[in-house]
Amino acid sequence: MQNNSRENQSDKPFDPHKNYIASIEKVGYVKRADSNQETYNRIGFMSGLEVHQQLLTQKKLFCHCPAGVYHKSDHYDAEVIRHMRPTLSELGEYDGTALMEFKTRKEIIYRLKHETTCTYEVDDTPPFPIDREALDIALEISLLSKLNIVGEVHITRKQYLDGSIPTGFQRTAILGVEGELQLKNKKIRLIQLSLEEDSCREISDIGHTRIYKTDRLGMPLIETVTYPDMVNPEEVKEVCDYIRFLNRSTGKVRTGIGAGRQDVNVSCKGGTRVEIKGVAHTKWIPELTHNECFRQWALLQIREELLKRVKNPAQWKPTHEFLRFHSYHFKFSPIVDAKKQQHKIVAVNLPEFKGLLSHFTQPGKMFADEITDRLKVIACLEKPNMTHSESFEKQISAKDFEKIKEIMDSGENDAQLVFWGPEADIKTALETIEERCRMAFEGVPNETRKSFEDGTTIFERVLPGADRMYPDTDSAPIPLKNEHIEKLGQNLPSDIIDRYHQLKEWEVPEDHYTYIFKKNLFLLMKSIIEDLNVNPRFIGTFLGQKMKFIEGHIRPADAFNDQKIYDLFKFLKQNELKADLAKRMIAIVYEHPKMDFESVLEVINYKKIPAENIYSHILFLKEKFNEIGNVKTEQNEVNWIMGELRNVAIGNVDLSDLSKRIREAI
């Protein structure tokens, strides 16, 4: 099966860095910037989405606690400690996620504030009837998504065994099925939309202790699930943005950090569904999905190589030895610290794995990272928790590794890793290492992964099984009458694709669309155009460029309401001032929302000047331009005179008219 003999070993030293570069070429990895649709067709890119959005309600979904109240300080009124354990399903089986979480031996601590938490949240009281405000908002969004509304709402329980919900399950209800979204170039099919309760906020996860805050727990949340219809990373982001914009168009969802989150499902040809959990920003999606698809493609190359080397994977078995600290010259500080803490240090021999620990998986990461990530999550060994024979950093000297190989009788094609930790965690760690290496023979494991801004991911947990949902016996079915659904459908906002085409018709630059949709400013813009007769392209640029810049650079003294923008343009119209003046005023208006507009004009030193007085300066400035010896081209002359008159002209005359007058004069 494998060669454990140390004879005939190559005299040429193994270079893990060269091996890593070679594996990148073998995988055919290319940066996203250099990729095209042919790249993704080659590896069979496929992706779907689960988009979560908090609803703007007064109360939580199944109790009367206030929704949307967050605790920013570390003060809390009480703690509840729980330990999760698996139970048999009705078929007499254990869920894989439950078994994994049980292995971690986690102590879950919930920090409670009386203001936002009641006995329902800690599973001491049955649920109240579902919040009707949340149900109606979710139904409206289901109708907007062209989903088929169910005739009766059935509350079910969805298992969550990571401790993020004290009950171990989330109450959820499917409201609509089989819908579609019309994008610019294609339709995306929707599987369903569900209304569910949000989970706790994780504060820390160190060793065997995980801490949560319960202020977010139980807040109403919708989940929109798509089919895996997206065929490239940019398309995934486009669909996610569309769903987010659709939700926001109702004006009935929460915005801000954490109010909208998405899980992205990715697979490649020959791979399997991997869920990237809790992606905080849609701008991360392209890089994350690109790298995840290639990570799976790399794992398939590793499987192919292993199956060439090992004819009978069922008989493959790693071996291990406990090492004595004093027998080696360990200088790597985590190992030195482990010795001080009287932890154990263990060497593991991986038959036929030479060159695979340093095999590329994602940018800056190799297959060994797949193992160390699981040691952190499952065995609760804080990183750094291991090193290996193909590490770039050489954390253990070559001489010590030769000694380790000798005592383990390692073969020429074997790889070795060394890990350390408390004695109580060693058994779980060894099981975890063997399990992940055995998975390598199969290709891509089903799992949930955590996302990072740089586009890489790490292992988070085993992907839950399909049987994780079951009926909630505490909640009665809720019939949905046709008359009620029809009433909800009467005042729906226009579709995002229709708004997109309207912006195109108004000749608003397309790079402004995202901000307008993200901030749900379309209806405000439409009102300003129709009620106040402001030029559509001007107001589109004002919102998508000027407001975006101001919002990113100025902090308002009081809460700023977008209605203030409408009021500003109304003030200008009523006082017969040109709309351009809004560009000079808006920074002060945004910073001091309670200041009246007359005072803002004083702050910017605006003076009302008759148009003819301004036009009368054109001939004088024309002569001055000739006197000061500027390069005499018509455009230079127009630009110079416009520059001299701009400050006094803004608000008093239309700048395009002023430009026309100048051209006529020269």
Side-chain angles (χ1 to χ4, degrees), residues 142-183:
S142 298
L143 291 168
L144 264 177
S145 304
K146 298 179 176 60
L147 289 154
N148 298 303
I149 307 300
V150 299
E152 196 171 64
V153 178
H154 291 265
I155 312 297
T156 58
R157 298 179 180 184
K158 186 192 294 184
Q159 281 189 344
Y160 272 93
L161 299 163
D162 59 351
S164 61
I165 299 181
T167 58
F169 61 84
Q170 175 191 58
R171 285 187 169 90
T172 180
I174 296 173
L175 302 185
V177 296
E178 298 300 329
E180 65 179 26
L181 302 175
Q182 178 62 59
L183 272 62

CSV table of all heavy atoms in Angstrom, one decimal, residues 142-183:
chain,number,residue,atom,x,y,z
A,142,SER,N,-42.2,38.9,0.1
A,142,SER,CA,-42.4,37.6,-0.7
A,142,SER,C,-43.1,38.0,-1.9
A,142,SER,O,-42.8,37.4,-3.0
A,142,SER,CB,-43.2,36.6,0.2
A,142,SER,OG,-42.5,36.2,1.3
A,143,LEU,N,-44.1,38.8,-1.9
A,143,LEU,CA,-44.9,39.2,-3.1
A,143,LEU,C,-44.0,40.0,-4.0
A,143,LEU,O,-44.1,39.8,-5.2
A,143,LEU,CB,-46.1,40.1,-2.7
A,143,LEU,CG,-47.2,39.4,-1.9
A,143,LEU,CD1,-48.2,40.4,-1.3
A,143,LEU,CD2,-48.0,38.4,-2.8
A,144,LEU,N,-43.1,40.9,-3.5
A,144,LEU,CA,-42.2,41.6,-4.3
A,144,LEU,C,-41.3,40.7,-5.1
A,144,LEU,O,-40.8,40.9,-6.2
A,144,LEU,CB,-41.4,42.6,-3.5
A,144,LEU,CG,-41.8,44.0,-3.4
A,144,LEU,CD1,-40.9,44.7,-2.4
A,144,LEU,CD2,-41.8,44.7,-4.7
A,145,SER,N,-40.9,39.5,-4.4
A,145,SER,CA,-40.0,38.6,-5.0
A,145,SER,C,-40.7,37.6,-5.9
A,145,SER,O,-40.1,36.6,-6.3
A,145,SER,CB,-39.3,37.8,-3.9
A,145,SER,OG,-38.7,38.7,-3.0
A,146,LYS,N,-42.0,37.8,-6.2
A,146,LYS,CA,-42.8,37.0,-7.1
A,146,LYS,C,-42.9,35.6,-6.7
A,146,LYS,O,-42.8,34.6,-7.5
A,146,LYS,CB,-42.3,37.1,-8.5
A,146,LYS,CG,-42.4,38.6,-9.1
A,146,LYS,CD,-41.9,38.7,-10.5
A,146,LYS,CE,-42.1,40.1,-11.0
A,146,LYS,NZ,-41.4,41.1,-10.3
A,147,LEU,N,-42.9,35.4,-5.3
A,147,LEU,CA,-43.0,34.0,-4.8
A,147,LEU,C,-44.5,33.6,-4.6
A,147,LEU,O,-45.4,34.5,-4.5
A,147,LEU,CB,-42.3,34.0,-3.4
A,147,LEU,CG,-40.8,34.1,-3.4
A,147,LEU,CD1,-40.3,34.6,-2.1
A,147,LEU,CD2,-40.2,32.7,-3.6
A,148,ASN,N,-44.7,32.3,-4.7
A,148,ASN,CA,-46.1,31.8,-4.4
A,148,ASN,C,-46.3,31.7,-2.9
A,148,ASN,O,-45.6,31.0,-2.2
A,148,ASN,CB,-46.2,30.4,-5.1
A,148,ASN,CG,-46.0,30.5,-6.6
A,148,ASN,OD1,-46.7,31.2,-7.3
A,148,ASN,ND2,-45.1,29.7,-7.1
A,149,ILE,N,-47.3,32.4,-2.4
A,149,ILE,CA,-47.5,32.5,-1.0
A,149,ILE,C,-48.2,31.2,-0.5
A,149,ILE,O,-49.1,30.7,-1.2
A,149,ILE,CB,-48.3,33.7,-0.6
A,149,ILE,CG1,-47.7,35.0,-1.2
A,149,ILE,CG2,-48.5,33.9,0.9
A,149,ILE,CD1,-46.3,35.3,-0.7
A,150,VAL,N,-47.7,30.7,0.6
A,150,VAL,CA,-48.3,29.5,1.2
A,150,VAL,C,-49.7,29.8,1.7
A,150,VAL,O,-50.0,30.9,2.0
A,150,VAL,CB,-47.4,28.9,2.3
A,150,VAL,CG1,-46.1,28.5,1.8
A,150,VAL,CG2,-47.3,29.9,3.5
A,151,GLY,N,-50.6,28.8,1.8
A,151,GLY,CA,-51.9,29.0,2.3
A,151,GLY,C,-52.0,29.0,3.8
A,151,GLY,O,-52.9,29.6,4.4
A,152,GLU,N,-51.0,28.4,4.4
A,152,GLU,CA,-51.0,28.3,5.9
A,152,GLU,C,-49.5,28.3,6.3
A,152,GLU,O,-48.7,27.6,5.8
A,152,GLU,CB,-51.7,27.0,6.3
A,152,GLU,CG,-52.1,26.9,7.8
A,152,GLU,CD,-52.9,25.7,8.1
A,152,GLU,OE1,-52.4,24.6,7.9
A,152,GLU,OE2,-54.1,25.9,8.4
A,153,VAL,N,-49.3,29.1,7.3
A,153,VAL,CA,-47.9,29.3,7.9
A,153,VAL,C,-47.7,28.2,9.0
A,153,VAL,O,-48.4,28.1,9.9
A,153,VAL,CB,-47.7,30.7,8.5
A,153,VAL,CG1,-46.3,30.8,9.1
A,153,VAL,CG2,-47.9,31.7,7.4
A,154,HIS,N,-46.7,27.4,8.8
A,154,HIS,CA,-46.3,26.4,9.8
A,154,HIS,C,-45.0,26.7,10.4
A,154,HIS,O,-44.0,26.8,9.7
A,154,HIS,CB,-46.3,25.0,9.1
A,154,HIS,CG,-47.6,24.5,8.7
A,154,HIS,ND1,-48.4,23.6,9.5
A,154,HIS,CD2,-48.3,24.7,7.6
A,154,HIS,CE1,-49.5,23.3,8.9
A,154,HIS,NE2,-49.5,24.0,7.7
A,155,ILE,N,-44.9,26.9,11.7
A,155,ILE,CA,-43.7,27.2,12.4
A,155,ILE,C,-42.9,25.9,12.6
A,155,ILE,O,-43.5,24.8,13.0
A,155,ILE,CB,-43.9,27.8,13.8
A,155,ILE,CG1,-44.9,28.9,13.7
A,155,ILE,CG2,-42.6,28.3,14.4
A,155,ILE,CD1,-44.5,30.1,12.8
A,156,THR,N,-41.6,25.9,12.2
A,156,THR,CA,-40.8,24.7,12.4
A,156,THR,C,-39.6,25.1,13.2
A,156,THR,O,-39.3,26.2,13.4
A,156,THR,CB,-40.3,24.1,11.0
A,156,THR,OG1,-39.6,25.1,10.3
A,156,THR,CG2,-41.5,23.6,10.2
A,157,ARG,N,-38.9,24.0,13.6
A,157,ARG,CA,-37.6,24.2,14.4
A,157,ARG,C,-36.4,23.8,13.5
A,157,ARG,O,-36.4,22.7,13.0
A,157,ARG,CB,-37.6,23.4,15.7
A,157,ARG,CG,-38.8,23.8,16.7
A,157,ARG,CD,-38.7,22.9,17.9
A,157,ARG,NE,-39.8,23.3,18.9
A,157,ARG,CZ,-39.9,22.8,20.1
A,157,ARG,NH1,-39.0,21.8,20.5
A,157,ARG,NH2,-40.9,23.1,20.9
A,158,LYS,N,-35.5,24.7,13.4
A,158,LYS,CA,-34.2,24.4,12.7
A,158,LYS,C,-33.1,24.3,13.7
A,158,LYS,O,-32.8,25.2,14.4
A,158,LYS,CB,-34.0,25.5,11.7
A,158,LYS,CG,-32.8,25.2,10.7
A,158,LYS,CD,-32.4,26.4,10.0
A,158,LYS,CE,-33.5,26.9,9.0
A,158,LYS,NZ,-33.0,28.1,8.2
A,159,GLN,N,-32.4,23.1,13.7
A,159,GLN,CA,-31.4,22.9,14.7
A,159,GLN,C,-30.2,23.8,14.5
A,159,GLN,O,-29.7,24.1,13.4
A,159,GLN,CB,-30.9,21.5,14.6
A,159,GLN,CG,-31.8,20.4,15.3
A,159,GLN,CD,-31.1,19.1,15.4
A,159,GLN,OE1,-30.1,18.8,14.7
A,159,GLN,NE2,-31.6,18.2,16.2
A,160,TYR,N,-29.7,24.4,15.6
A,160,TYR,CA,-28.5,25.2,15.7
A,160,TYR,C,-27.8,24.8,17.0
A,160,TYR,O,-28.2,25.2,18.1
A,160,TYR,CB,-28.8,26.7,15.7
A,160,TYR,CG,-28.9,27.3,14.4
A,160,TYR,CD1,-30.2,27.4,13.7
A,160,TYR,CD2,-27.8,27.8,13.7
A,160,TYR,CE1,-30.3,28.0,12.5
A,160,TYR,CE2,-27.9,28.3,12.4
A,160,TYR,CZ,-29.2,28.4,11.8
A,160,TYR,OH,-29.3,29.0,10.6
A,161,LEU,N,-26.7,24.0,16.8
A,161,LEU,CA,-26.1,23.4,17.9
A,161,LEU,C,-24.7,24.1,18.3
A,161,LEU,O,-23.9,23.5,19.0
A,161,LEU,CB,-25.9,21.9,17.7
A,161,LEU,CG,-27.3,21.2,17.5
A,161,LEU,CD1,-27.1,19.9,16.9
A,161,LEU,CD2,-28.0,21.1,18.8
A,162,ASP,N,-24.4,25.2,17.6
A,162,ASP,CA,-23.2,25.9,18.0
A,162,ASP,C,-23.3,26.8,19.2
A,162,ASP,O,-22.4,27.5,19.6
A,162,ASP,CB,-22.7,26.7,16.8
A,162,ASP,CG,-23.7,27.8,16.4
A,162,ASP,OD1,-24.9,27.8,16.9
A,162,ASP,OD2,-23.4,28.6,15.5
A,163,GLY,N,-24.5,26.8,19.8
A,163,GLY,CA,-24.8,27.7,21.0
A,163,GLY,C,-25.3,29.0,20.6
A,163,GLY,O,-25.6,29.8,21.6
A,164,SER,N,-25.4,29.4,19.4
A,164,SER,CA,-25.9,30.7,19.0
A,164,SER,C,-27.3,31.0,19.4
A,164,SER,O,-27.8,32.1,19.4
A,164,SER,CB,-25.7,31.0,17.5
A,164,SER,OG,-26.4,30.1,16.7
A,165,ILE,N,-28.1,29.9,19.7
A,165,ILE,CA,-29.5,30.0,20.1
A,165,ILE,C,-29.6,29.1,21.4
A,165,ILE,O,-29.3,27.9,21.3
A,165,ILE,CB,-30.5,29.6,19.1
A,165,ILE,CG1,-30.4,30.6,17.9
A,165,ILE,CG2,-31.9,29.7,19.6
A,165,ILE,CD1,-31.3,30.3,16.7
A,166,PRO,N,-30.0,29.7,22.5
A,166,PRO,CA,-30.0,28.9,23.8
A,166,PRO,C,-30.8,27.6,23.7
A,166,PRO,O,-30.5,26.6,24.3
A,166,PRO,CB,-30.5,29.9,24.8
A,166,PRO,CG,-30.2,31.2,24.3
A,166,PRO,CD,-30.3,31.1,22.8
A,167,THR,N,-31.9,27.6,22.9
A,167,THR,CA,-32.8,26.5,22.8
A,167,THR,C,-32.1,25.3,22.0
A,167,THR,O,-32.6,24.2,22.1
A,167,THR,CB,-34.1,26.8,22.1
A,167,THR,OG1,-33.8,27.4,20.8
A,167,THR,CG2,-34.9,27.9,22.9
A,168,GLY,N,-31.1,25.6,21.2
A,168,GLY,CA,-30.5,24.6,20.3
A,168,GLY,C,-31.3,24.6,19.0
A,168,GLY,O,-30.9,23.7,18.1
A,169,PHE,N,-32.3,25.4,18.8
A,169,PHE,CA,-33.0,25.4,17.5
A,169,PHE,C,-33.6,26.8,17.3
A,169,PHE,O,-33.7,27.6,18.2
A,169,PHE,CB,-34.1,24.4,17.5
A,169,PHE,CG,-35.2,24.6,18.5
A,169,PHE,CD1,-36.3,25.5,18.3
A,169,PHE,CD2,-35.2,24.0,19.7
A,169,PHE,CE1,-37.2,25.7,19.3
A,169,PHE,CE2,-36.2,24.2,20.7
A,169,PHE,CZ,-37.2,25.1,20.5
A,170,GLN,N,-33.8,27.1,16.0
A,170,GLN,CA,-34.4,28.4,15.6
A,170,GLN,C,-35.8,28.2,15.1
A,170,GLN,O,-36.0,27.3,14.3
A,170,GLN,CB,-33.5,29.0,14.5
A,170,GLN,CG,-34.0,30.3,13.9
A,170,GLN,CD,-33.2,30.6,12.6
A,170,GLN,OE1,-33.1,29.8,11.7
A,170,GLN,NE2,-32.5,31.8,12.6
A,171,ARG,N,-36.7,29.0,15.5
A,171,ARG,CA,-38.1,28.9,15.0
A,171,ARG,C,-38.1,29.7,13.7
A,171,ARG,O,-37.7,30.8,13.6
A,171,ARG,CB,-39.1,29.5,16.0
A,171,ARG,CG,-39.3,28.5,17.2
A,171,ARG,CD,-40.5,29.0,18.1
A,171,ARG,NE,-40.8,27.9,19.0
A,171,ARG,CZ,-40.3,27.7,20.2
A,171,ARG,NH1,-39.3,28.5,20.6
A,171,ARG,NH2,-40.7,26.7,21.0
A,172,THR,N,-38.7,29.0,12.7
A,172,THR,CA,-38.7,29.5,11.3
A,172,THR,C,-40.0,29.1,10.6
A,172,THR,O,-40.5,28.1,10.9
A,172,THR,CB,-37.4,29.1,10.5
A,172,THR,OG1,-37.4,29.7,9.2
A,172,THR,CG2,-37.3,27.6,10.4
A,173,ALA,N,-40.4,29.9,9.6
A,173,ALA,CA,-41.6,29.6,8.8
A,173,ALA,C,-41.4,29.9,7.4
A,173,ALA,O,-41.0,31.1,7.1
A,173,ALA,CB,-42.8,30.3,9.4
A,174,ILE,N,-41.7,29.0,6.5
A,174,ILE,CA,-41.6,29.3,5.0
A,174,ILE,C,-42.9,30.1,4.7
A,174,ILE,O,-44.0,29.6,4.9
A,174,ILE,CB,-41.5,28.0,4.2
A,174,ILE,CG1,-40.2,27.3,4.5
A,174,ILE,CG2,-41.6,28.3,2.7
A,174,ILE,CD1,-40.0,26.0,3.9
A,175,LEU,N,-42.8,31.2,4.0
A,175,LEU,CA,-43.9,32.0,3.6
A,175,LEU,C,-44.2,32.0,2.1
A,175,LEU,O,-45.3,32.1,1.6
A,175,LEU,CB,-43.7,33.5,4.0
A,175,LEU,CG,-43.5,33.7,5.5
A,175,LEU,CD1,-43.4,35.2,5.8
A,175,LEU,CD2,-44.6,33.1,6.3
A,176,GLY,N,-43.1,31.8,1.3
A,176,GLY,CA,-43.3,31.8,-0.2
A,176,GLY,C,-42.3,30.9,-0.8
A,176,GLY,O,-41.2,30.7,-0.3
A,177,VAL,N,-42.7,30.3,-1.9
A,177,VAL,CA,-41.8,29.3,-2.6
A,177,VAL,C,-41.8,29.6,-4.2
A,177,VAL,O,-42.8,30.2,-4.7
A,177,VAL,CB,-42.3,27.9,-2.4
A,177,VAL,CG1,-42.2,27.5,-0.9
A,177,VAL,CG2,-43.7,27.7,-2.9
A,178,GLU,N,-40.8,29.2,-4.8
A,178,GLU,CA,-40.6,29.3,-6.3
A,178,GLU,C,-41.0,30.7,-6.9
A,178,GLU,O,-41.9,30.9,-7.5
A,178,GLU,CB,-41.5,28.2,-6.9
A,178,GLU,CG,-41.2,26.8,-6.5
A,178,GLU,CD,-39.8,26.4,-6.9
A,178,GLU,OE1,-39.2,26.9,-7.9
A,178,GLU,OE2,-39.2,25.6,-6.2
A,179,GLY,N,-40.0,31.6,-6.6
A,179,GLY,CA,-40.2,32.9,-7.2
A,179,GLY,C,-39.0,33.2,-8.2
A,179,GLY,O,-38.3,32.3,-8.6
A,180,GLU,N,-38.9,34.4,-8.6
A,180,GLU,CA,-37.8,34.8,-9.5
A,180,GLU,C,-37.5,36.3,-9.5
A,180,GLU,O,-38.3,37.1,-9.1
A,180,GLU,CB,-38.2,34.4,-11.0
A,180,GLU,CG,-39.4,35.2,-11.5
A,180,GLU,CD,-39.7,34.9,-13.0
A,180,GLU,OE1,-39.4,33.7,-13.4
A,180,GLU,OE2,-40.3,35.7,-13.7
A,181,LEU,N,-36.3,36.6,-9.8
A,181,LEU,CA,-35.8,38.0,-9.9
A,181,LEU,C,-35.3,38.2,-11.3
A,181,LEU,O,-34.6,37.4,-11.9
A,181,LEU,CB,-34.6,38.2,-8.9
A,181,LEU,CG,-34.9,37.9,-7.4
A,181,LEU,CD1,-33.6,38.1,-6.7
A,181,LEU,CD2,-36.0,38.8,-6.9
A,182,GLN,N,-35.8,39.4,-11.9
A,182,GLN,CA,-35.3,39.7,-13.2
A,182,GLN,C,-34.1,40.7,-13.1
A,182,GLN,O,-34.3,41.9,-12.7
A,182,GLN,CB,-36.5,40.4,-14.0
A,182,GLN,CG,-36.1,40.9,-15.4
A,182,GLN,CD,-35.7,39.8,-16.3
A,182,GLN,OE1,-36.4,38.8,-16.5
A,182,GLN,NE2,-34.5,39.8,-16.8
A,183,LEU,N,-33.0,40.2,-13.4
A,183,LEU,CA,-31.8,41.0,-13.5
A,183,LEU,C,-31.6,41.7,-14.8
A,183,LEU,O,-32.5,41.6,-15.7
A,183,LEU,CB,-30.5,40.2,-13.1
A,183,LEU,CG,-30.2,40.1,-11.7
A,183,LEU,CD1,-31.3,39.3,-10.9
A,183,LEU,CD2,-28.9,39.3,-11.5
